[in-house]
Amino acid sequence: MQLAIQLIFAQVGIDQIIDNGTATSQSIAEGWDKQWLDLLQNNTSNNLYGALTNLGIFFAVGTLLFFMIQFLKDLISYEYTRPISALIWPFIVVVLLSNSGNGSILANLTLGVRNFLNTVNQQVVVSTDADKIYQQALNMSVAEEVAGSLLRPCQSLTGEQQSQCFVKAAEKINVLWQKYRNTYGNKNWIIRLQNKVDNIRYGTGIVSETSFNSLLGSTVQTSIKNFLVSLQYAFQNLIEASMLLIAALGPIAVGGSLLPVAGKPIFAWLTGFLSIGIAKISFNIIAVLTAAVIVNGPGQNANVDPDLMWFIIFLGILAPILSLLVAAAGGFAVFSAISNTASLVKERI
C-alpha cells in the first residue's frame, strides 16, 4: 500500500494503483537483497567492497607497526603471558580479510548476520501481524483521503451534475472497498466508510457538516498525510541503506583493530551493525502494536468515526525517533557486553 495514497494525484484505476503499490514494495525489497549480494559476494575482487577490503588490508599493515611495538613492550614487561594472548588479533584480521573473489569470510559473516536479523524481524512481523493489522490501520488512515479525493470535485457542483459526479466517484470508490474486503474481509471500518460515502451520495441518513468536511478533507491535509506516509517508507529504506553502509565499512574496522587501544574498532563496527538491526526490529514492533490498538479498538466499531491523523504522525515521526533511541540504548549495552567479554577472555588466555 505504499503507493495507494498517490491515487489522490494520479489519473489511473484504484485497483491498478493497489497492485502497483504491492509490486513496487516487493521490487524494492528484492532490490535491496540483490544489492547486498552484489556488494558482498559477487565479484568482490573488483567491486566497491573489494576496494574497501584492500583499504582495510592497507590499514592493517600500517597498524601492524604499532601492534609490534606494543607487543615487544609487553614482552619485556609481562614476560610471555599477555603478549601471547595478543597474537590472536593478527590471526583474526588475516582470516577475516582474506578475499577469494566470491566474498571474504568477513563478507559472508556480515551477510549471515544480516540474514539472521531479517529472519528475526520477519518472525516478529508474522507473529504479531497475522491478520495484516498494520496494513489495515494504514488503510483506515488513508481510505478517507482516497474517497475524499474522488468526492471533492462534486462539492462545487449542484443538481443533476452533482448527482452524476457522485455516481462516477462511487463506482471508483466501490472498487477500493471490494479490494479491502478481498484482502481483510468484511471489516466494520470498511462498512463504516462505505455507509459514510453512500449517505453523501444518496443523501440518506444523517451526515453532519463536520463529517462531510472530514471525509472530503483538504488538499493540505492530504499532502501532509502523503508526506508522512512517504517519510515512514523513507525511514525503512534509510535503515537498509545504513546497514549496507556499515557492512561496507567492515574491512576498514577490521584493519584498524590492530591498534593497541582498549576499544577495538571491530567492536564499534559490530555494535553499530547490530544497533541498526535493533532499530529495524523495534520500528516494526512499535508500528504493529500501535496498529493493533486502532484495528482492535475503533476499527471494530462501525459507529465510531476516529481521527487517525495521530497514527500517521506517529508512524512518520515519533516511531522512527523511538526506535532509534531504543537502538542506541541497546547498542550501548551490546558494546559494553562485547568489551567486557573480550577483556575477560584476554585475562583468561
Side-chain angles (χ1 to χ4, degrees):
M1 282 307 298
Q2 181 174 355
L3 300 181
I5 199 171
Q6 293 181 3
L7 170 66
I8 299 168
F9 306 106
Q11 300 298 321
V12 294
I14 291 176
D15 53 344
Q16 182 180 350
I17 284 291
I18 294 177
D19 294 338
N20 286 346
T22 302
T24 301
S25 298
Q26 294 175 351
S27 177
I28 291 175
E30 293 172 358
W32 280 115
D33 291 338
K34 184 177 184 300
Q35 189 61 46
W36 275 87
L37 293 176
D38 289 343
L39 181 67
L40 298 181
Q41 283 193 336
N42 298 336
N43 195 24
T44 55
S45 298
N46 300 318
N47 66 1
L48 174 63
Y49 193 82
L52 292 173
T53 299
N54 293 333
L55 182 59
I57 294 174
F58 175 78
F59 281 176
V61 173
T63 55
L64 182 62
L65 175 62
F66 298 99
F67 176 84
M68 292 305 299
I69 293 174
Q70 184 66 38
F71 178 81
L72 293 175
K73 180 181 177 182
D74 292 341
L75 186 63
I76 296 173
S77 302
Y78 300 96
E79 295 181 349
Y80 295 102
T81 305
R82 184 172 175 181
I84 291 177
S85 64
L87 286 176
I88 191 174
W89 280 110
F91 175 76
I92 291 176
V93 171
V94 170
V95 170
L96 291 179
L97 294 183
S98 299
N99 191 354
S100 62
N102 292 322
S104 62
I105 294 179
L106 176 64
N108 292 326
L109 289 176
T110 302
L111 191 60
V113 173
R114 186 254 182 179
N115 292 337
F116 172 75
L117 292 174
N118 276 358
T119 300
V120 173
N121 179 69
Q122 190 64 28
Q123 290 175 346
V124 168
V125 172
V126 170
S127 61
T128 58
D129 196 25
D131 198 26
K132 299 182 179 180
I133 292 176
Y134 173 74
Q135 291 88 344
Q136 283 194 60
L138 190 60
N139 281 313
M140 284 177 62
S141 303
V142 302
E144 287 194 4
E145 301 298 325
V146 176
S149 69
L150 294 171
L151 293 173
R152 193 176 300 122
C154 307
Q155 189 177 22
S156 60
L157 303 176
T158 57
E160 185 64 22
Q161 287 183 332
Q162 186 179 62
S163 299
Q164 292 298 322
C165 181
F166 279 149
V167 170
K168 293 180 180 179
E171 290 176 355
K172 296 180 180 179
I173 295 174
N174 286 335
V175 175
L176 180 64
W177 302 149
Q178 189 59 47
K179 280 285 184 179
Y180 285 163
R181 286 191 172 93
N182 293 340
T183 305
Y184 311 121
N186 193 27
K187 300 295 183 180
N188 286 330
W189 63 270
I190 303 176
I191 298 174
R192 173 181 61 82
L193 290 174
Q194 184 173 16
N195 290 338
K196 201 171 181 180
V197 172
D198 289 343
N199 289 338
I200 294 174
R201 174 188 174 186
Y202 297 112
T204 60
I206 299 176
V207 182
S208 65
E209 186 70 19
T210 302
S211 297
F212 184 77
N213 292 332
S214 174
L215 179 60
L216 297 186
S218 65
T219 55
V220 174
Q221 181 175 335
T222 298
S223 299
I224 292 174
K225 280 192 174 183
N226 187 35
F227 171 75
L228 291 175
V229 171
S230 298
L231 192 64
Q232 172 215 166
Y233 288 109
F235 175 75
Q236 294 179 0
N237 283 280
L238 178 63
I239 290 291
E240 287 290 343
S242 299
M243 289 187 70
L244 192 59
L245 174 61
I246 294 175
L249 296 177
I252 298 177
V254 172
S257 295
L258 291 180
L259 285 172
V261 293
K264 298 294 184 181
I266 190 175
F267 295 158
W269 170 79
L270 181 60
T271 300
F273 192 77
L274 293 177
S275 296
I276 295 297
I278 293 173
K280 182 177 182 179
I281 295 173
S282 299
F283 177 82
N284 287 325
I285 292 175
I286 295 168
V288 172
L289 292 180
T290 308
V293 173
I294 295 174
V295 173
N296 297 328
Q300 298 296 326
N301 192 338
N303 298 319
V304 174
D305 189 14
D307 181 7
L308 299 181
M309 185 66 180
W310 70 268
F311 179 64
I312 301 297
I313 295 174
F314 185 84
L315 286 182
I317 300 176
L318 301 181
I321 294 175
L322 181 57
S323 62
L324 290 177
L325 291 176
V326 172
F332 178 78
V334 170
F335 182 77
S336 299
I338 293 176
S339 299
N340 293 336
T341 301
S343 299
L344 180 62
V345 171
K346 185 176 181 180
E347 292 176 359
R348 295 294 179 87
I349 294 179

